[in-house]
Amino acid sequence: MGIYKIAVLPGDGIGPEITEQALKALKAVAVKYQHEFKFTEGLIGGAGYDGAGHPLPQETLDLCHNSDAVLLGAVGGPKWDDLPVHLRPEAGALLPLRKALGLYANLRPTKVFPALVNASTLKPEVVSGLDVLVVRELTGGLYFGQKKREDIPGGGIRVIDTLEYTTPEIERIARLAFQMAQKRSGRLVSVDKANVLESSRLWREIVTEIGKEYPDVELDHMYVDNCAMQLVKNPRQFDVIVTENMFGDILSDQASMLSGSLGMLPSASIGGKIGLYEPSHGSAPKYAGLKRANPIATILSGSMLLKFSLGLDKESDAIEQAVTKVLDMGYRTADLMEEGMKLVNTDEMGDLIAENI
Ligand SMILES: NC(=O)c1ccc[n+]([C@@H]2O[C@H](COP(=O)([O-])OP(=O)(O)OC[C@H]3O[C@@H](n4cnc5c(N)ncnc54)[C@H](O)[C@@H]3O)[C@@H](O)[C@H]2O)c1
């Protein structure tokens, strides 16, 4: 039975109240499976700026480096939107934290729970049984490329964002995606824009080359615009999707809506020694402190933390099974509410899930 150090960064908006529910589930796992989880909280985002003068205080970064895994709530809010970019919660905390921990891969699973098949905006027969994993490259590409603004002689401004990738960056995310597909149903779709972008042509060459090391995985390539269409037309054709940073940001948000609510979607950022686990949604400022937010995305992020950082697979499955059970019993937070279901608040949903582990 293990002793594990987990850094907990609640952040802003609904961050503290949803993180609390994930801790309830992890504590229930610790009791049931006799593990010891040492939780240590750190400031981040607007809370970091208010409390320590920076969205990513050195103390928080040190805490993350000295932990076995990091659980994050969400950052951001109108209060901090006018700060200089490097002091804003997202740009000043999330991007530097991902880079500092070497987290080059973002895993965004979208699973439609049987009890929620009607919550999706797509027809039940299109999404029932859906279980797709988007593997998004997280530390390269346009978001981290050079940014430039220059005056044009004769008036006006030219702006430039550079999309850059290197062989090693593509090789490592491709290998990780093939390994994920091996653990699932062995199908991988690599998404690019090789008919236009040089970076996508290299991406496709390297993914094809790496694919030779994984003969048990069926590899297909798809242009990003077609993938956006296919995700709505027939999302169940996909098992694992791998793609570059910006394409992944957009496609994983699109895929997430197949499940019906942003409040259902966990994510994991891995690749370095320490993984970072957070819901795919933001801080939902208008719900802050109202106990209306759906905590399931954060609770399932806790389940991914157990699986990907601590190697505790059965404990991770126990959390997922508890979520399924509580939804099957008809409990719903406001974002999932349907006629005839039992409305519960953030705390109550957290208690129900912990009780069913
Ligand atoms: N990783 C992060 O911390 C992260 C990610 C995205 C956005 N943000 C930040 O969050 C703030 C709000 O951004 P936004 O409104 O674009 O995105 P958001 O994800 O916070 O909210 C989008 C919509 O989804 C709803 N929603 C989100 N999470 C929910 C939950 N758990 N339960 C029920 N409903 C939920 C919100 O009410 C809102 O209507 C901004 O400051 C943004 O920069 C942070």
Side-chain angles (χ1 to χ4, degrees):
M1 298 309 140
I3 300 177
Y4 304 98
K5 292 177 289 178
I6 299 176
V8 180
L9 314 180
D12 311 318
I14 61 171
E17 56 209 275
I18 54 177
T19 310
E20 198 188 319
Q21 312 316 318
L23 294 188
K24 287 178 187 170
L26 291 170
K27 287 174 184 165
V29 163
V31 171
K32 181 168 181 183
Y33 296 92
Q34 296 164 337
H35 294 302
E36 191 184 334
F37 297 143
K38 283 202 173 121
F39 300 111
T40 309
E41 265 199 33
L43 292 175
I44 195 163
Y49 179 78
D50 292 352
H54 194 280
L56 185 58
Q58 188 58 42
E59 207 182 325
T60 299
L61 199 48
D62 296 344
L63 168 66
C64 293
H65 280 302
N66 298 322
S67 301
D68 297 307
V70 181
L71 180 70
L72 171 73
V75 300
K79 182 179 173 191
W80 305 284
D81 281 352
D82 300 327
L83 289 170
V85 174
H86 70 287
L87 292 176
R88 284 188 208 154
E90 299 77 0
L94 288 186
L95 302 189
L97 181 59
R98 290 170 183 160
K99 203 96 191 178
L101 297 179
L103 304 172
Y104 64 81
N106 183 235
L107 309 182
R108 296 264 303 258
T110 296
K111 201 173 177 167
V112 173
F113 287 82
L116 294 182
V117 75
N118 293 319
S120 176
T121 40
L122 293 189
K123 296 191 189 98
E125 60 270 26
V126 173
V127 295
S128 73
L130 179 72
D131 183 354
V132 59
L133 175 68
V134 177
V135 178
R136 165 192 170 192
E137 202 289 327
L138 198 57
T139 52
L142 213 49
Y143 293 3
F144 287 89
Q146 275 180 14
K147 303 173 190 334
K148 212 158 80 179
R149 213 178 242 255
E150 55 191 26
D151 295 325
I152 308 173
I157 293 172
R158 173 182 294 110
V159 286
I160 300 168
D161 286 296
T162 311
L163 198 167
E164 188 181 327
Y165 271 106
T166 63
T167 302
E169 283 178 314
I170 302 171
E171 284 179 342
R172 63 184 182 180
I173 191 80
R175 278 207 179 85
L176 194 137
F178 277 104
Q179 286 153 13
M180 290 292 150
Q182 276 182 323
K183 289 191 193 126
R184 295 168 54 103
S185 64
R187 286 176 297 121
L188 178 63
V189 174
S190 173
V191 173
D192 60 40
K193 193 68 183 164
N195 51 351
V196 179
L197 299 174
E198 194 53 35
S199 54
S200 281
R201 276 191 276 278
L202 180 66
W203 179 280
R204 189 172 285 209
E205 288 161 25
I206 290 174
V207 172
T208 306
E209 200 50 39
I210 299 288
K212 293 175 185 156
E213 299 169 22
Y214 301 90
D216 53 342
V217 174
E218 184 194 318
L219 170 64
D220 277 311
H221 298 279
M222 194 178 276
Y223 294 137
V224 63
D225 42 346
N226 181 24
C227 184
M229 273 194 316
Q230 296 299 330
L231 273 170
V232 175
K233 181 164 173 262
N234 173 19
R236 274 195 308 241
Q237 68 184 282
F238 298 106
D239 173 27
V240 180
I241 293 173
V242 62
T243 192
E244 64 92 50
N245 202 341
M246 185 171 79
F247 294 162
D249 188 12
I250 297 165
L251 291 177
S252 56
D253 265 17
Q254 182 189 350
S256 64
M257 279 331 291
L258 300 171
S259 77
S261 171
L262 212 39
M264 292 299 298
L265 298 150
S267 86
S269 299
I270 59 175
K273 211 163 78 20
I274 299 142
L276 172 69
Y277 302 86
E278 58 178 314
S280 298
H281 58 73
S283 61
K286 71 177 183 200
Y287 287 161
L290 300 181
K291 305 244 175 255
R292 271 180 63 96
N294 180 349
I296 294 177
T298 317
I299 292 170
L300 291 174
S301 299
S303 156
M304 293 182 85
L305 182 157
L306 295 176
K307 185 188 284 283
F308 291 106
S309 278
L310 309 185
L312 301 175
D313 288 359
K314 72 178 183 305
E315 290 84 344
S316 166
D317 295 344
I319 293 185
E320 264 198 51
Q321 282 148 18
V323 169
T324 305
K325 202 166 160 199
V326 169
L327 292 172
D328 288 347
M329 291 196 283
Y331 294 104
R332 301 283 186 273
T333 40
D335 57 313
L336 302 169
M337 198 47 196
E338 295 169 67
E339 186 125 359
M341 296 297 157
K342 290 168 259 187
L343 181 63
V344 291
N345 72 17
T346 309
D347 278 347
E348 291 159 345
M349 182 60 93
D351 291 338
L352 282 161
I353 291 168
E355 285 156 20
N356 282 281
I357 289 172

